[in-house]
Amino acid sequence: LFTVINESQKQQLESVSYSSRYALGLFYEAGTGIGVPWAARYVADNPCVRFISIDNKKRNIESPEIGPSVVVHTTVAFGSEHLDSDPEEVQQIILSHLQRIVPSLPKPSSIKCQRWRYSQVTRAVPNCPGQMILHTQPLLICGGDGFTRSNFDGCIESAMSLAEAVKPHL
């Protein structure tokens, strides 16, 4: 039996921190019209709602057989403030903010409120640009946005770093 991770690595991994947030999905019957001229919208001036998308429109999969859905992401501050709140209460707060932002939204046939305790990296693993080799025999490397930052560039940077770390072991 071998030790997979040493104490220094463990401390580095435990130092990673993540933001928390909520996502709200509003689901509609087929044929329901969502009367907005956009597929996605970044909301800069609301303490609760940060991003709204008409998901099927954003993904370019509009269909008369499938009802549209609206996805709402909250701000990091709202997610942290309400991390341990009752999901029903959180759902009502998000809906009230959404109603003020997009008053034309029809009543959905169903709603799903999802809490992400670990949403985006706020502090990555220190001194590990993109990856960490945990063990060499057998080779065990971990990577991802926890070693860079939570965006597409961070994911690509980690993937490139992982590929470079694997090369000498091939």
Side-chain angles (χ1 to χ4, degrees):
L1 192 65
F2 62 91
T3 302
V4 172
I5 185 169
N6 66 43
E7 193 58 36
S8 170
Q9 291 169 324
K10 181 180 177 196
Q11 288 174 353
Q12 285 178 290
L13 292 170
E14 288 174 343
S15 74
V16 177
S17 63
Y18 295 85
S19 65
S20 300
R21 65 179 69 219
Y22 283 85
L24 191 69
L26 287 72
F27 303 94
Y28 297 89
E29 297 294 331
T32 304
I34 307 293
V36 295
W38 40 265
R41 179 177 170 192
Y42 181 82
V43 181
D45 57 352
N46 186 278
C48 173
V49 175
R50 182 57 72 228
F51 180 78
I52 306 167
S53 72
I54 314 306
D55 211 49
N56 54 317
K57 195 176 201 180
K58 180 185 85 168
R59 297 172 191 270
N60 200 24
I61 53 171
E62 294 180 275
S63 163
E65 296 90 36
I66 300 170
S69 61
V70 174
V71 178
V72 180
H73 292 223
T74 65
T75 64
V76 169
F78 180 88
S80 296
E81 181 182 339
H82 296 280
L83 184 59
D84 295 313
S85 299
D86 175 35
E88 282 293 319
E89 290 175 19
V90 172
Q91 178 174 306
Q92 290 310 311
I93 295 168
I94 298 168
L95 285 170
S96 69
H97 282 271
L98 181 61
Q99 180 64 33
R100 284 182 288 232
I101 297 166
V102 190
S104 65
L105 276 181
K107 183 174 172 36
S109 57
S110 67
I111 300 173
K112 169 80 169 138
C113 187
Q114 179 68 48
R115 179 185 66 196
W116 287 333
R117 184 172 291 277
Y118 305 103
S119 172
Q120 293 179 307
V121 174
T122 55
R123 186 177 58 243
V125 174
N127 307 315
C128 289
Q131 50 80 21
M132 178 187 286
I133 298 174
L134 298 177
H135 204 267
T136 54
Q137 292 293 326
L139 183 61
L140 179 59
I141 306 174
C142 56
D145 60 353
F147 294 85
T148 55
R149 59 201 169 282
S150 285
N151 62 21
F152 185 74
D153 291 342
C155 293
I156 295 296
E157 183 180 321
S158 178
M160 299 295 285
S161 180
L162 284 162
E164 287 302 315
V166 168
K167 271 187 195 177
H169 299 275
L170 297 177

